[in-house]
Amino acid sequence: MDSFSKTNLQNILDIFESKTGVKPQNEQRQFKPTKIASAIAVMMLCFLTLTAFTVVRFSALSGDELSLSASYEGNGIVLVEVENRSEKDLEFQPEMKLMLWSTGEEIAPVTKNIEFNGTVIKANSKGVLTIDISNAYDVEMLEKPLDNDNYYFVLTNNNFVFGQDWMCTVKFTENVNTTEVSKTPMSPSEADEKLVSEVDESLKPYFDSYVTDHVERGQMVYEYLGKCTKVIEEAGSIVVPSVSPMLIVNCGEPEVVFDDTVPLETQHQLTGQHWHTLDGYGIPVGASDSESALVISAYIPHREGDDDGGAGIPLVYIFTYEVNDIRSMQDCAFIHGRLITFEELEQYKVYEDEQYVCYEVSELFYTDLRAHVESMLSQRTDVYFDEQIWSRVENIYNYYTDKNVLNSRFFYVEVN
């Protein structure tokens, strides 16, 4: 029989702490074998007791199903009708996220003072979850009409873990539709067949159409991210998630003129820069809803002669990673439907310091600039586009995909 060493005991103590959250005292003194045996017996009893009382939570990954339908009652009160179609009880945590469909961006609350009632929905039953956000959000702002957009809640029963978080559209007011699409928007496959051919096989169906309905798009995003998780698991690769630090590109006061028909002092209004979780078709840029790309866009005017903003066309995609998270050049990133090693990403590197490394990976989002722009424009009827505007877009693209330019323009935003 193998002898019982201090190392064996410490391993048991470590396991006990991880399972129970209680840190047993392991003082540096001699233990008698009988005391060691007693300690082990007590710990094993605790393990068996914990196992017996472990609750298996409601989870979509286990086949549990539910339906959600929200109605806004005014004054920040939202009623969510819940149908639990599972054999398990569902207990929502008093936590939620408020998101915008078009960008997948979270609307930050003013406070965390959100009230929940009716959080437990019994198995095979219906119930109403009441959520009062009046003390947590600017309700007047939420009640303003949106232009072809909507909000949605993300609810959870387990800290927003995948498979245990659910989306539910919330309309705080009737929306304004200023973009009446009279033409069929192009899908990613139609716009760039070559690019889509490089996407993982299981994800290609999501590139075959452009989903215009925000609710359907939200469901598509949810399913897509689930497939991404499976792709990563089956590959067995170490995948490093992207991050969104306060490290951005200086797009103000450029040394070049993008459009000589626009005054010099307003050249900076021809571009925009934002962190995006979705690409121009509403497809996630990474493998989770927490991954974002820093996107530099060109603004297309709504009317001929406008030079102060317009509709944004995503042109330049930049992904950022923690330097210390990358242990090997064979580690991978998951970008726009594919796994790519950091050795392969090296050709796209545009900036690196002690903490972060940045890659300009627009080529992983489209392979032909003109086709990409025309595809983005096919989604809108509220823009003015001619060869002068096309020249402007080309100039913006060429400037911000120049490695030397980008390397010199990264800076950290100071937060007071």
Side-chain angles (χ1 to χ4, degrees):
M1 179 181 292
D2 294 335
S3 61
F4 187 89
S5 67
K6 291 182 180 179
T7 300
N8 299 136
L9 176 61
Q10 186 59 52
N11 288 338
I12 291 177
L13 293 173
D14 291 341
I15 295 171
F16 181 82
E17 180 181 355
S18 69
K19 297 290 185 182
T20 66
V22 178
K23 183 177 181 60
Q25 296 298 316
N26 182 19
E27 298 178 1
Q28 297 299 315
R29 61 173 182 264
Q30 296 295 320
F31 285 89
K32 293 182 180 180
T34 55
K35 291 186 176 181
I36 293 174
S38 298
I40 295 173
V42 171
M43 292 178 188
M44 293 302 294
L45 179 60
C46 289
F47 289 160
L48 292 173
T49 302
L50 285 168
T51 302
F53 288 95
T54 297
V55 177
V56 179
R57 286 192 178 98
F58 186 107
S59 172
L61 298 181
S62 300
D64 299 318
E65 296 183 1
L66 81 164
S67 67
L68 302 171
S69 177
S71 60
Y72 181 56
E73 300 297 300
N75 300 318
I77 307 296
V78 178
L79 303 183
V80 182
E81 295 184 11
V82 185
E83 181 179 358
N84 183 348
R85 301 169 180 168
S86 167
E87 300 297 326
K88 301 174 192 165
D89 291 349
L90 169 61
E91 182 173 0
F92 290 105
Q93 283 182 320
E95 303 283 344
M96 56 151 281
K97 296 178 182 179
L98 177 61
M99 316 289 285
L100 193 63
W101 275 121
S102 61
T103 62
E105 296 176 2
E106 181 175 2
I107 309 300
V110 178
T111 72
K112 294 184 178 181
N113 188 14
I114 304 175
E115 296 182 14
F116 289 76
N117 286 294
T119 55
V120 177
I121 311 297
K122 294 294 185 179
N124 295 307
S125 68
K126 298 179 180 180
V128 176
L129 171 65
T130 303
I131 305 175
D132 183 353
I133 64 172
S134 60
N135 295 318
Y137 291 89
D138 183 346
V139 174
E140 289 187 5
M141 184 275 290
L142 295 177
E143 291 176 344
K144 293 180 180 179
L146 295 174
D147 181 3
N148 302 308
D149 212 340
N150 264 318
Y151 296 103
Y152 67 95
F153 284 167
V154 179
L155 305 174
T156 184
N157 68 335
N158 187 22
N159 301 311
F160 303 99
V161 171
F162 182 75
Q164 293 177 301
D165 59 344
W166 300 275
M167 298 178 292
C168 181
T169 299
V170 181
K171 293 185 178 181
F172 294 103
T173 188
E174 290 301 317
N175 293 345
V176 176
N177 187 351
T178 61
T179 306
E180 297 181 0
V181 179
S182 59
K183 53 187 175 181
T184 303
M186 296 177 68
S187 69
S189 295
E190 292 171 324
D192 203 326
E193 185 178 351
K194 179 178 182 297
L195 176 84
V196 176
S197 68
E198 302 296 327
V199 170
D200 186 271
E201 197 67 33
S202 66
L203 298 175
K204 287 181 179 178
Y206 298 96
F207 290 77
D208 288 338
S209 63
Y210 172 66
V211 180
T212 57
D213 182 83
H214 293 299
V215 176
E216 292 182 12
R217 181 182 297 176
Q219 184 61 37
M220 179 273 287
V221 169
Y222 185 78
E223 294 175 358
Y224 177 93
L225 293 177
K227 290 287 181 67
C228 291
T229 300
K230 291 184 179 180
V231 169
I232 292 172
E233 289 176 350
E234 292 173 358
S237 303
I238 297 175
V239 178
V240 179
S242 65
V243 293
S244 309
M246 301 302 287
L247 176 63
I248 63 174
V249 175
N250 181 6
C251 290
E253 301 179 0
E255 293 83 6
V256 297
V257 173
F258 297 129
D259 188 335
D260 57 16
T261 67
V262 175
L264 182 62
E265 61 270 19
T266 59
Q267 290 287 321
H268 67 281
Q269 297 181 16
L270 303 180
T271 61
Q273 177 179 198
H274 300 89
W275 290 98
H276 286 293
T277 60
L278 308 176
D279 71 359
Y281 300 98
I283 297 173
V285 299
S288 73
D289 58 7
S290 63
E291 289 194 84
S292 301
L294 183 63
V295 179
I296 298 175
S297 301
Y299 287 131
I300 308 300
H302 291 297
R303 293 171 296 275
E304 183 177 5
D306 285 356
D307 58 12
D308 56 349
I313 300 295
L315 290 186
V316 182
Y317 288 84
I318 299 170
F319 276 69
T320 303
Y321 300 88
E322 290 265 12
V323 170
N324 292 336
D325 287 347
I326 305 170
R327 304 301 177 87
S328 165
M329 295 301 284
Q330 296 310 308
D331 289 351
C332 293
F334 193 95
I335 300 176
H336 208 222
R338 71 179 80 177
L339 285 166
I340 183 169
T341 67
F342 283 94
E343 183 178 26
E344 294 171 312
L345 278 176
E346 191 68 15
Q347 61 182 311
Y348 302 115
K349 184 191 294 184
V350 289
Y351 177 83
E352 183 174 8
D353 60 24
E354 293 181 354
Q355 189 171 4
Y356 300 110
V357 56
C358 303
Y359 303 92
E360 186 272 298
V361 292
S362 306
E363 287 186 7
L364 303 183
F365 286 81
Y366 58 89
T367 59
D368 183 283
L369 178 61
R370 183 72 186 234
H372 170 68
V373 172
E374 291 178 351
S375 178
M376 294 294 98
L377 292 177
S378 74
Q379 301 172 12
R380 319 187 63 105
T381 58
D382 61 342
V383 293
Y384 175 81
F385 189 79
D386 60 13
E387 288 306 308
Q388 179 70 32
I389 305 301
W390 162 241
S391 178
R392 173 199 299 181
V393 171
E394 270 192 312
N395 291 337
I396 294 171
Y397 172 84
N398 290 334
Y399 186 75
Y400 286 112
T401 56
D402 185 300
K403 288 187 177 182
N404 293 326
V405 168
L406 277 179
N407 182 266
S408 64
R409 300 192 73 87
F410 279 96
F411 75 102
Y412 286 91
V413 178
E414 294 184 5
V415 180
N416 296 325

